[in-house]
Amino acid sequence: MSYLSIRNLSARLKGRPDQILRRVSLEVAAGEVRGLVGESGAGKSMIGKAILGTLPQSVEITGGQIILDGTDLLALPAAQRRTLIGAKCALIPQDPLTALNPSRRIGPQITNRLVDILHWSRADAEKRARDLLAEVQIPDPERVMRSYPHELSGGMRQRILIASAFAAEPKLIIADEPTTALDVTVQKQILKLIAAMQARHGTALLFVTHDLGVVSKVCQSLSVLYAGYVLEDSTIPEFFHAPKHPYSRALLAATPKYTDPDGSLTPVSDAVIAATRAEVEAADRSAHV
Amino acid sequence: MLDGRSAIRRKLPARLVLSATWLTLLTLAAICAPLIAPKDPLAQDLFLGQLPPFWLQGHEPGYLLGTDSLGRDVLSRILYGARLALTVALTAGTITCIIGATMGLLAGFLRGWVDILISRAIDIWMAFPPVLFSILLIAVLGPSLTSIIIAIVVIDWTRFARVIRAEAMTQGAMDYVASAQVAGRTRLSTMVTEILPNVLPTIVVLLTLEMGISIIVEAILSFVNLSISTDDPTWGGMIAEGRASIHQAWWVLVFPLITLFLTVLSFSQLGEGLKDRFDPVLR
Amino acid sequence: MQFLQSVLLRLCTTLITLAGVAVIVFFVIRVVPGNPIAMMLPPGATEADVARLTALYGLDKSIPQQFLIWLSGVVQGDFGTSITTKQPVLQLVLSRLPATLELSVMALIIAIIIGGFMALTGTRLRGSKTEAAIDIGNGMALSVPDFLWGLILILAFGVLIPIFHISGRVTPSLPLPFSTNFYLTESLLRLRFDLWLDIAAHMFMPALALAIPLAAIISQLLKQSLKETMHLDYVTLARTKGYSETHVILREALPNAILPTLTLVGVQFTFLIGGTVIIERLFSYEGLGNMAIDAVINRDLPLIQGIVILFAVIFTGVNLLVDLTYAALNPRLRHA
Ligand SMILES: Nc1ncnc2c1ncn2[C@@H]1O[C@H](COP(=O)(O)OP(=O)(O)OP(=O)(O)O)[C@@H](O)[C@H]1O
Ligand SMILES: [Mg+2]
């Protein structure tokens, strides 16, 4: 039984026919790392937001289920759903520079969920925060907890956000391109850190990225999204050795291989894109009958 | 986001239309006051003092909105009061606009010592309590229509100067102005042909708002009994009287107040509506 | 260091502004027609009486000379003597100042409470009918000045539903045990809640009239700024932690959204204080503004001068204070 299972999730812009998600189904088993790839605008972030309940007001869910640990989130009243998500899920955001509240110290930003939502004692929460900061290799956690975000570097802030995500021992973490906003040199360290933390805590991870190279290193399975439609759902070995969908094949050919970073690349051809479009639209039509 | 924007756009005509309608009606009423006013606004009749409006017990036919303590017809006085209010709005508003906008343009476009002088003057003006300043000016100049207009112009030119100065500064920093300069035009002609048309929408909006403000200032001045001669009907004067007899004859306060309220609201809504219309971001 | 420099610079321009106000008001009121001295004397006073009094008030000297004499007095804290009451201007003005200050601060507090509440409600219910209603209300409140709101309040709560006092500062028959003129504050400190209630009930209507336009400005600005903040990543992150929308608005967004509103409220507060002049008149409230209008009507030149200068000091002082608070509250600005 999967920890998270999304079934036939559809979403669109309010009052418009534009589909943002088209009957998306995907599963994340407990402790599993699933990659979510697709071109920009494919709807990757929307899936994450739908799970966490942070969709923009202009977007409405038109059908489907999001089942977290056996409970359908979409069937719950808003308040219950919020506390459930707060207790069982966490987000590692994309941009560490904007994801910390500039007017509050770091310490409370890590401990607030533990104290306010999970009713830990303040002392326990602070001890937990210190341990986690040490675990993500922040020197002098005491001092950092008393700092304001603008006093810290981007890499440090992302470490803090990772620590904060793991604070309540969530069963599922959603990481939405957690390294794109960082320096190339820092990116690798942060990726390693996320992978290590995930392994140590046994947390399931939904990893949103553009980078197939990263996917091959971090993930166990993978969903390929195109225009809000899941084209392929495979394990990593399957995907890299025998991708099922022509679009996936083209995507692979367009990605530099980490074994051979200078090898020749072919961009995804217009023909493949047109064929994929047509397939998505055909699937849409058949779903509406 | 998109929805919000189109909602504003749909609302826009309504408030423009409503306010323009009210102001047009009022202007017509003011012009035709001698024809449509049921009574002589100055005629007193102590036997007919404090008559209630037509739907209340004890009213007299012909006195639609009742009478004040001296037996003068409230409706006729409101109609004649509109003449003074609109005269003040038009003349004071326009003169203030011309002087203030010129100052703002000069300061914002020429910069240098002109700007320093005008900006200092604005700072000093902003440190005066405006109502007190206008009352003081009327006391100095003696109560008359001209004094009211002078007082409004002297006090309110900074409203235009401040905004137009800032706009002229941003416009002056833009490329098209620099290229006009390179083409060998004098600074003053650049100001008139390049900057002025670009700040004109703002000027029109401010002018509309200023007309509403002028009417309020006039009302405040007649309220403290410093407007034109005390007999002539003014909204502010009627309000002052109504305030005094509020517990005996509320209608003496209520009707001029409603008229004043709608008029000021209309000028302001007209200005805001025009602002949305002109604002390129919303267009 | 740079901070200190800019403070000094601000102080200098403030002084220049005040000097400008002093010069203008001094010369404007010398042009007042009507001889205030003649008005003071009983009918049948002789030419010599007039001349004696004119000399006493220094009105026989040339205007620049009068200005210098007045200025040297002001520097020593002597603003001259009121012509109507024959009391020192400074003493008169200071005796009325507390009433106006209490009224203005009360109005500011009411404006912040109403405006803040509207902004928070509008943000919490954004996109709903309630938000649209708040926007329309803001537009109305902004379009109509305090003078008209005052009249409307008088009608509504003085006549229609007479629950508040619409004239005076305190019920005249009440014995007042106060040693300062800060009645509202002092009644609270002396734990005289009966008096406090009476004074507050007198002050509430004029304060509300002054507060309505400012409340609308606060509501509009703060709502705008909150809405922008609500899109930021740290707010979204807080939502995923399980916090309610209300908590997210109050604890995460509000502290960051409030600073831009604060500066504007400072400037608007000076407009509010300027509005006390007519509002005090409207509600027969015995403050500075009411005294000022009487002074103009009575041609009491020294008193007018003193009051205008005092208002200018308050205005520039408030602006200065706001600038300094802003710089102090925003650490990044101070280090820059
Ligand atoms: N606030 C919003 N309101 C309306 N539509 C939106 C909003 N945000 C995104 N969209 C639309 O939803 C679709 C999916 O966007 P999403 O952010 O999920 O893409 P993505 O796959 O995460 O892309 P990227 O890799 O660039 O982050 C896009 O077509 C986008 O235009
Ligand atoms: Mg995204």
Side-chain angles (χ1 to χ4, degrees):
Chain A
M1 180 63 195
S2 310
Y3 188 71
L4 169 77
S5 117
I6 298 179
R7 293 183 193 152
N8 286 321
L9 184 69
S10 297
R12 64 166 182 205
L13 278 177
K14 261 186 200 148
R16 289 170 180 230
D18 317 24
Q19 293 282 311
I20 288 179
L21 297 177
R22 302 166 201 254
R23 300 173 309 286
V24 168
S25 293
L26 69 83
E27 314 263 321
V28 186
E32 182 196 21
V33 184
R34 172 172 287 269
L36 185 54
V37 299
E39 60 175 23
S40 185
K44 306 183 294 292
S45 300
M46 285 299 157
I47 293 181
K49 288 176 182 168
I51 300 168
L52 294 168
T54 56
L55 282 176
Q57 279 192 328
S58 50
V59 174
E60 67 181 341
I61 291 178
T62 50
Q65 294 170 306
I66 301 175
I67 297 167
L68 184 77
D69 202 9
T71 322
D72 182 3
L73 291 180
L74 299 181
L76 285 183
Q80 258 179 27
R81 174 175 161 191
R82 249 187 347 249
T83 24
L84 187 73
I85 291 169
K88 297 193 168 173
C89 302
L91 170 73
I92 301 177
Q94 178 168 14
D95 186 354
L97 297 186
T98 55
L100 287 166
N101 189 331
S103 65
R104 298 174 83 176
R105 293 176 199 277
I106 298 296
Q109 300 202 47
I110 303 176
T111 56
N112 61 358
R113 178 198 322 236
L114 302 178
V115 176
D116 298 339
I117 307 291
L118 303 171
H119 310 295
W120 289 31
S121 77
R122 187 159 294 281
D124 287 352
E126 270 167 17
K127 178 168 184 313
R128 171 82 175 152
R130 271 194 301 276
D131 293 349
L132 275 166
L133 285 179
E135 198 181 336
V136 295
Q137 292 140 33
I138 296 256
D140 199 355
E142 282 291 344
R143 188 186 60 81
V144 168
M145 280 173 66
R146 273 180 277 110
S147 311
Y148 284 98
H150 72 264
E151 298 164 351
L152 305 169
S153 73
M156 269 174 103
R157 290 193 225 179
Q158 193 58 301
R159 283 168 196 275
I160 289 165
L161 286 163
I162 292 168
S164 171
F166 281 92
E169 287 293 350
K171 294 291 183 309
L172 171 71
I173 287 183
I174 293 163
D176 191 346
E177 309 192 37
T179 59
T180 36
L182 297 172
D183 254 25
V184 187
T185 44
V186 187
Q187 282 185 359
K188 276 215 179 93
Q189 300 169 11
I190 294 292
L191 272 177
K192 270 197 192 134
L193 179 67
I194 294 177
M197 292 286 285
Q198 184 274 331
R200 203 173 314 135
H201 294 259
T203 320
L205 184 61
L206 183 62
F207 196 95
V208 176
T209 179
H210 285 284
D211 190 341
L212 285 177
V214 170
V215 169
S216 69
K217 273 182 276 184
V218 180
C219 304
Q220 283 127 37
S221 59
L222 173 71
S223 297
V224 179
L225 206 63
Y226 179 84
Y229 187 79
V230 178
L231 291 177
E232 166 146 11
D233 179 349
S234 303
T235 63
I236 292 301
E238 273 170 9
F239 180 82
F240 281 93
H241 293 115
K244 293 175 202 155
H245 199 274
Y247 181 81
S248 311
R249 244 169 279 146
L251 213 58
L252 263 180
T255 310
K257 302 201 173 44
Y258 60 103
T259 47
D260 176 17
D262 302 321
S264 66
L265 296 177
T266 22
V268 181
S269 73
D270 291 347
V272 173
I273 291 180
T276 313
R277 265 261 103 165
E279 182 190 331
V280 169
E281 277 158 15
D284 256 3
R285 275 193 298 278
S286 63
H288 283 296
V289 200
Chain B
M1 189 59 215
L2 284 165
D3 290 3
R5 223 180 259 179
S6 51
I8 290 175
R9 214 192 258 163
R10 261 182 277 120
K11 250 188 299 174
L12 236 173
R15 72 173 176 189
L16 276 181
V17 168
L18 282 179
S19 46
T21 311
W22 170 258
L23 292 175
T24 315
L25 284 178
L26 193 74
T27 313
L28 286 178
I31 294 171
C32 310
L35 297 176
I36 57 175
K39 303 279 168 191
D40 176 356
L42 299 179
Q44 304 184 3
D45 186 342
L46 291 180
F47 294 107
L48 294 174
Q50 299 191 345
L51 291 178
F54 69 91
W55 67 88
L56 288 182
Q57 269 258 291
H59 72 269
E60 243 346 276
Y63 294 93
L64 231 51
L65 301 182
T67 61
D68 63 12
S69 321
L70 298 176
R72 295 174 296 191
D73 181 38
V74 170
L75 176 59
S76 305
R77 288 179 73 76
I78 290 180
L79 290 175
Y80 274 89
R83 302 188 124 195
L84 179 71
L86 289 176
T87 313
V88 170
L90 285 179
T91 45
T94 315
I95 302 174
T96 313
C97 171
I98 293 172
I99 293 179
T102 312
M103 294 289 210
L105 274 175
L106 289 174
F109 185 61
L110 296 183
R111 311 303 310 270
W113 60 267
V114 183
D115 185 26
I116 293 177
L117 266 183
I118 295 179
S119 302
R120 271 293 116 242
I122 293 176
D123 276 354
I124 293 174
W125 252 251
M126 298 286 289
F128 274 102
V131 174
L132 183 53
F133 197 14
S134 59
I135 290 171
L136 188 57
L137 282 175
I138 296 294
V140 172
L141 300 168
S144 76
L145 180 59
T146 330
S147 312
I148 296 177
I149 293 170
I150 294 178
I152 292 173
V153 173
V154 166
I155 290 162
D156 271 355
W157 67 272
T158 54
R159 262 182 223 278
F160 288 82
R162 263 168 31 224
V163 179
I164 300 299
R165 171 178 175 269
E167 286 232 335
M169 258 158 68
T170 21
Q171 294 290 340
M174 288 185 183
D175 283 345
Y176 71 90
V177 177
S179 53
Q181 287 290 294
V182 173
R185 307 256 292 282
T186 67
R187 290 184 65 75
L188 270 179
S189 92
T190 315
M191 187 176 100
V192 174
T193 56
E194 306 290 330
I195 307 277
L196 184 60
N198 281 294
V199 297
L200 208 54
T202 313
I203 293 181
V204 173
V205 170
L206 287 176
L207 173 61
T208 322
L209 297 177
E210 183 63 34
M211 289 183 178
I213 293 168
S214 306
I215 289 187
I216 282 289
V217 173
E218 191 276 317
I220 287 178
L221 289 173
S222 16
F223 181 80
V224 292
N225 215 352
L226 278 171
S227 181
I228 58 172
S229 88
T230 40
D231 284 343
D232 282 330
T234 62
W235 293 347
M238 297 178 76
I239 286 172
E241 255 191 52
R243 168 77 174 94
S245 61
I246 189 169
H247 292 288
Q248 299 90 42
W250 52 264
W251 52 90
V252 185
L253 174 58
V254 168
F255 295 117
L257 180 58
I258 292 176
T259 321
L260 183 57
F261 185 88
L262 287 179
T263 310
V264 171
L265 188 66
S266 295
F267 272 119
S268 162
Q269 291 301 311
L270 194 66
E272 294 295 325
L274 288 176
K275 183 154 73 184
D276 286 352
R277 264 287 133 104
F278 287 141
D279 194 341
V281 186
L282 287 169
R283 215 165 5 192
Chain C
M1 197 51 228
Q2 236 172 355
F3 181 62
L4 203 71
Q5 243 175 14
S6 59
V7 170
L8 282 178
L9 197 72
R10 275 293 271 112
L11 272 175
C12 280
T13 51
T14 304
L15 280 180
I16 295 176
T17 306
L18 287 179
V21 170
V23 173
I24 291 176
V25 69
F26 193 90
F27 286 95
V28 163
I29 61 177
R30 300 296 127 165
V31 200
V32 177
N35 185 346
I37 301 297
M39 278 168 48
M40 292 168 63
L41 288 169
T46 60
E47 288 282 310
D49 288 340
V50 174
R52 199 170 43 79
L53 260 185
T54 309
L56 185 69
Y57 283 101
L59 297 177
D60 53 342
K61 306 212 170 55
S62 75
I63 290 180
Q65 255 179 325
Q66 287 184 34
F67 183 69
L68 284 181
I69 293 170
W70 178 76
L71 195 66
S72 64
V74 166
V75 173
Q76 296 159 35
D78 173 13
F79 282 81
T81 309
S82 155
I83 294 180
T84 33
T85 64
K86 322 248 176 347
Q87 281 174 306
V89 167
L90 193 65
Q91 188 191 323
L92 274 175
V93 163
L94 289 183
S95 74
R96 285 292 186 98
L97 180 63
T100 300
L101 281 185
E102 281 190 339
L103 178 64
S104 310
V105 172
M106 172 82 119
L108 180 66
I109 293 171
I110 295 175
I112 290 175
I113 293 174
I114 298 179
F117 181 76
M118 291 295 168
L120 292 170
T121 313
T123 313
R124 178 68 187 78
L125 304 174
R126 53 192 180 287
S128 71
K129 289 225 169 64
T130 314
E131 196 205 355
I134 288 177
D135 283 343
I136 292 175
N138 282 344
M140 291 266 286
L142 271 177
S143 303
V144 177
D146 42 19
F147 175 62
L148 285 188
W149 287 123
L151 287 164
I152 291 169
L153 290 176
I154 285 179
L155 272 172
F157 298 108
V159 181
L160 223 57
I161 323 166
I163 43 176
F164 290 105
H165 297 277
I166 53 169
S167 105
R169 192 178 177 200
V170 61
T171 304
S173 55
L174 287 178
L176 300 178
F178 301 137
S179 51
T180 68
N181 283 334
F182 288 98
Y183 290 177
L184 194 71
T185 322
E186 209 185 324
S187 62
L188 205 60
L189 292 179
R190 286 176 187 261
L191 307 178
R192 289 291 305 274
F193 298 114
D194 53 329
L195 281 180
W196 187 87
L197 263 182
D198 184 75
I199 297 164
H202 276 85
M203 199 185 269
F204 187 60
M205 287 288 99
L208 187 58
L210 289 166
I212 289 174
L214 181 57
I217 294 178
I218 293 177
S219 161
Q220 223 172 35
L221 273 175
L222 186 60
K223 185 153 80 71
Q224 179 66 29
S225 156
L226 272 172
K227 271 186 151 179
E228 279 160 19
T229 313
M230 290 304 284
H231 289 299
L232 298 180
D233 289 351
Y234 61 82
V235 176
T236 310
L237 189 64
R239 282 209 189 95
T240 70
K241 290 180 179 177
Y243 287 109
S244 68
E245 189 69 12
T246 311
H247 177 107
V248 167
I249 293 174
L250 288 178
R251 295 292 304 280
E252 301 289 333
L254 187 60
N256 295 299
I258 217 162
L259 206 58
T261 316
L262 198 73
T263 13
L264 227 123
V265 167
V267 182
Q268 295 294 329
F269 183 48
T270 63
F271 294 156
L272 185 152
I273 298 174
T276 57
V277 175
I278 193 66
I279 290 298
E280 284 180 4
R281 191 71 176 181
L282 195 55
F283 288 89
S284 316
Y285 181 91
E286 295 107 34
L288 262 187
N290 215 344
M291 183 192 235
I293 294 181
D294 284 335
V296 173
I297 291 172
N298 296 329
R299 307 263 187 278
D300 193 338
L301 309 190
L303 189 54
I304 299 173
Q305 250 157 230
I307 296 176
V308 173
I309 301 281
L310 183 63
F311 268 113
V313 169
I314 297 175
F315 286 9
T316 48
V318 168
N319 280 333
L320 195 64
L321 209 68
V322 169
D323 287 358
L324 296 186
T325 334
Y326 187 75
L329 276 185
N330 194 345
R332 267 166 284 178
L333 204 75
R334 190 173 38 197
H335 296 312

